[in-house]
mmCIF file with all atom_site columns, all heavy atoms in Angstrom:
data_model
loop_
_atom_site.group_PDB
_atom_site.id
_atom_site.type_symbol
_atom_site.label_atom_id
_atom_site.label_alt_id
_atom_site.label_comp_id
_atom_site.label_asym_id
_atom_site.label_entity_id
_atom_site.label_seq_id
_atom_site.pdbx_PDB_ins_code
_atom_site.Cartn_x
_atom_site.Cartn_y
_atom_site.Cartn_z
_atom_site.occupancy
_atom_site.B_iso_or_equiv
_atom_site.pdbx_formal_charge
_atom_site.auth_seq_id
_atom_site.auth_comp_id
_atom_site.auth_asym_id
_atom_site.auth_atom_id
_atom_site.pdbx_PDB_model_num
ATOM 1  N N   . HIS S 1 409 ? -19.050 26.608 23.515 1.00 44.00 ? 409 HIS S N   1
ATOM 2  C CA  . HIS S 1 409 ? -19.537 25.925 24.755 1.00 44.00 ? 409 HIS S CA  1
ATOM 3  C C   . HIS S 1 409 ? -21.094 25.739 24.571 1.00 44.00 ? 409 HIS S C   1
ATOM 4  O O   . HIS S 1 409 ? -21.687 25.494 25.628 1.00 44.00 ? 409 HIS S O   1
ATOM 5  C CB  . HIS S 1 409 ? -19.166 26.713 25.980 1.00 44.00 ? 409 HIS S CB  1
ATOM 6  C CG  . HIS S 1 409 ? -19.991 28.006 26.006 1.00 44.00 ? 409 HIS S CG  1
ATOM 7  N ND1 . HIS S 1 409 ? -19.803 29.134 25.228 1.00 44.00 ? 409 HIS S ND1 1
ATOM 8  C CD2 . HIS S 1 409 ? -21.087 28.435 26.898 1.00 44.00 ? 409 HIS S CD2 1
ATOM 9  C CE1 . HIS S 1 409 ? -20.651 30.022 25.623 1.00 44.00 ? 409 HIS S CE1 1
ATOM 10 N NE2 . HIS S 1 409 ? -21.357 29.670 26.644 1.00 44.00 ? 409 HIS S NE2 1
ATOM 11 N N   . ALA S 1 410 ? -21.600 25.855 23.541 1.00 44.00 ? 410 ALA S N   1
ATOM 12 C CA  . ALA S 1 410 ? -23.236 25.853 23.544 1.00 44.00 ? 410 ALA S CA  1
ATOM 13 C C   . ALA S 1 410 ? -23.782 24.494 23.933 1.00 44.00 ? 410 ALA S C   1
ATOM 14 O O   . ALA S 1 410 ? -24.906 24.477 24.467 1.00 44.00 ? 410 ALA S O   1
ATOM 15 C CB  . ALA S 1 410 ? -23.651 26.184 22.050 1.00 44.00 ? 410 ALA S CB  1
ATOM 16 N N   . THR S 1 411 ? -23.053 23.319 23.764 1.00 45.00 ? 411 THR S N   1
ATOM 17 C CA  . THR S 1 411 ? -23.582 22.194 24.129 1.00 45.00 ? 411 THR S CA  1
ATOM 18 C C   . THR S 1 411 ? -23.728 21.916 25.634 1.00 45.00 ? 411 THR S C   1
ATOM 19 O O   . THR S 1 411 ? -24.523 21.074 26.059 1.00 45.00 ? 411 THR S O   1
ATOM 20 C CB  . THR S 1 411 ? -22.812 20.973 23.459 1.00 45.00 ? 411 THR S CB  1
ATOM 21 O OG1 . THR S 1 411 ? -21.480 20.915 24.060 1.00 45.00 ? 411 THR S OG1 1
ATOM 22 C CG2 . THR S 1 411 ? -22.710 21.077 22.007 1.00 45.00 ? 411 THR S CG2 1
ATOM 23 N N   . GLY S 1 412 ? -22.926 22.648 26.297 1.00 44.00 ? 412 GLY S N   1
ATOM 24 C CA  . GLY S 1 412 ? -22.852 22.360 27.735 1.00 44.00 ? 412 GLY S CA  1
ATOM 25 C C   . GLY S 1 412 ? -22.030 21.072 28.180 1.00 44.00 ? 412 GLY S C   1
ATOM 26 O O   . GLY S 1 412 ? -22.068 20.707 29.343 1.00 44.00 ? 412 GLY S O   1
ATOM 27 N N   . ASP S 1 413 ? -21.644 20.386 27.214 1.00 49.00 ? 413 ASP S N   1
ATOM 28 C CA  . ASP S 1 413 ? -20.908 19.144 27.510 1.00 49.00 ? 413 ASP S CA  1
ATOM 29 C C   . ASP S 1 413 ? -19.610 19.478 28.321 1.00 49.00 ? 413 ASP S C   1
ATOM 30 O O   . ASP S 1 413 ? -18.794 20.292 27.719 1.00 49.00 ? 413 ASP S O   1
ATOM 31 C CB  . ASP S 1 413 ? -20.597 18.335 26.104 1.00 49.00 ? 413 ASP S CB  1
ATOM 32 C CG  . ASP S 1 413 ? -19.897 17.016 26.323 1.00 49.00 ? 413 ASP S CG  1
ATOM 33 O OD1 . ASP S 1 413 ? -20.014 16.518 27.413 1.00 49.00 ? 413 ASP S OD1 1
ATOM 34 O OD2 . ASP S 1 413 ? -19.340 16.637 25.310 1.00 49.00 ? 413 ASP S OD2 1
ATOM 35 N N   . LEU S 1 414 ? -19.218 18.562 29.238 1.00 42.00 ? 414 LEU S N   1
ATOM 36 C CA  . LEU S 1 414 ? -18.063 18.734 29.915 1.00 42.00 ? 414 LEU S CA  1
ATOM 37 C C   . LEU S 1 414 ? -16.732 18.699 29.020 1.00 42.00 ? 414 LEU S C   1
ATOM 38 O O   . LEU S 1 414 ? -15.801 19.609 29.188 1.00 42.00 ? 414 LEU S O   1
ATOM 39 C CB  . LEU S 1 414 ? -17.961 17.860 31.026 1.00 42.00 ? 414 LEU S CB  1
ATOM 40 C CG  . LEU S 1 414 ? -16.598 18.017 31.963 1.00 42.00 ? 414 LEU S CG  1
ATOM 41 C CD1 . LEU S 1 414 ? -16.633 19.292 32.680 1.00 42.00 ? 414 LEU S CD1 1
ATOM 42 C CD2 . LEU S 1 414 ? -16.558 16.852 33.033 1.00 42.00 ? 414 LEU S CD2 1
ATOM 43 N N   . ALA S 1 415 ? -16.656 17.748 28.123 1.00 49.00 ? 415 ALA S N   1
ATOM 44 C CA  . ALA S 1 415 ? -15.646 17.626 27.274 1.00 49.00 ? 415 ALA S CA  1
ATOM 45 C C   . ALA S 1 415 ? -15.567 18.922 26.325 1.00 49.00 ? 415 ALA S C   1
ATOM 46 O O   . ALA S 1 415 ? -14.322 19.263 25.949 1.00 49.00 ? 415 ALA S O   1
ATOM 47 C CB  . ALA S 1 415 ? -15.848 16.458 26.453 1.00 49.00 ? 415 ALA S CB  1
ATOM 48 N N   . ARG S 1 416 ? -16.618 19.485 26.054 1.00 54.00 ? 416 ARG S N   1
ATOM 49 C CA  . ARG S 1 416 ? -16.600 20.703 25.127 1.00 54.00 ? 416 ARG S CA  1
ATOM 50 C C   . ARG S 1 416 ? -15.909 21.869 25.870 1.00 54.00 ? 416 ARG S C   1
ATOM 51 O O   . ARG S 1 416 ? -15.142 22.588 25.353 1.00 54.00 ? 416 ARG S O   1
ATOM 52 C CB  . ARG S 1 416 ? -18.017 21.026 24.614 1.00 54.00 ? 416 ARG S CB  1
ATOM 53 C CG  . ARG S 1 416 ? -18.086 22.317 23.865 1.00 54.00 ? 416 ARG S CG  1
ATOM 54 C CD  . ARG S 1 416 ? -17.476 22.060 22.473 1.00 54.00 ? 416 ARG S CD  1
ATOM 55 N NE  . ARG S 1 416 ? -18.136 21.037 21.709 1.00 54.00 ? 416 ARG S NE  1
ATOM 56 C CZ  . ARG S 1 416 ? -17.659 20.643 20.579 1.00 54.00 ? 416 ARG S CZ  1
ATOM 57 N NH1 . ARG S 1 416 ? -16.539 20.993 20.109 1.00 54.00 ? 416 ARG S NH1 1
ATOM 58 N NH2 . ARG S 1 416 ? -18.388 19.584 19.897 1.00 54.00 ? 416 ARG S NH2 1
ATOM 59 N N   . TYR S 1 417 ? -16.208 22.034 27.070 1.00 57.00 ? 417 TYR S N   1
ATOM 60 C CA  . TYR S 1 417 ? -15.620 23.021 27.957 1.00 57.00 ? 417 TYR S CA  1
ATOM 61 C C   . TYR S 1 417 ? -14.114 22.909 27.962 1.00 57.00 ? 417 TYR S C   1
ATOM 62 O O   . TYR S 1 417 ? -13.326 23.886 27.764 1.00 57.00 ? 417 TYR S O   1
ATOM 63 C CB  . TYR S 1 417 ? -16.062 23.064 29.371 1.00 57.00 ? 417 TYR S CB  1
ATOM 64 C CG  . TYR S 1 417 ? -17.432 23.572 29.534 1.00 57.00 ? 417 TYR S CG  1
ATOM 65 C CD1 . TYR S 1 417 ? -18.680 22.889 29.465 1.00 57.00 ? 417 TYR S CD1 1
ATOM 66 C CD2 . TYR S 1 417 ? -17.600 24.991 29.934 1.00 57.00 ? 417 TYR S CD2 1
ATOM 67 C CE1 . TYR S 1 417 ? -19.907 23.435 29.645 1.00 57.00 ? 417 TYR S CE1 1
ATOM 68 C CE2 . TYR S 1 417 ? -18.929 25.574 30.023 1.00 57.00 ? 417 TYR S CE2 1
ATOM 69 C CZ  . TYR S 1 417 ? -19.975 24.776 29.919 1.00 57.00 ? 417 TYR S CZ  1
ATOM 70 O OH  . TYR S 1 417 ? -21.293 25.348 30.196 1.00 57.00 ? 417 TYR S OH  1
ATOM 71 N N   . ARG S 1 507 ? -15.910 26.421 35.467 1.00 75.00 ? 507 ARG S N   1
ATOM 72 C CA  . ARG S 1 507 ? -17.085 26.415 34.561 1.00 75.00 ? 507 ARG S CA  1
ATOM 73 C C   . ARG S 1 507 ? -17.883 27.668 34.696 1.00 75.00 ? 507 ARG S C   1
ATOM 74 O O   . ARG S 1 507 ? -18.160 28.398 33.765 1.00 75.00 ? 507 ARG S O   1
ATOM 75 C CB  . ARG S 1 507 ? -18.079 25.215 34.980 1.00 75.00 ? 507 ARG S CB  1
ATOM 76 C CG  . ARG S 1 507 ? -19.112 25.077 34.054 1.00 75.00 ? 507 ARG S CG  1
ATOM 77 C CD  . ARG S 1 507 ? -20.221 24.162 34.771 1.00 75.00 ? 507 ARG S CD  1
ATOM 78 N NE  . ARG S 1 507 ? -19.760 22.873 34.953 1.00 75.00 ? 507 ARG S NE  1
ATOM 79 C CZ  . ARG S 1 507 ? -19.656 21.846 34.163 1.00 75.00 ? 507 ARG S CZ  1
ATOM 80 N NH1 . ARG S 1 507 ? -20.033 21.969 32.947 1.00 75.00 ? 507 ARG S NH1 1
ATOM 81 N NH2 . ARG S 1 507 ? -19.173 20.747 34.689 1.00 75.00 ? 507 ARG S NH2 1
#
Side-chain angles (χ1 to χ4, degrees):
H409 70 287
T411 64
D413 179 22
L414 180 62
R416 179 68 66 189
Y417 282 89
R507 188 193 302 273

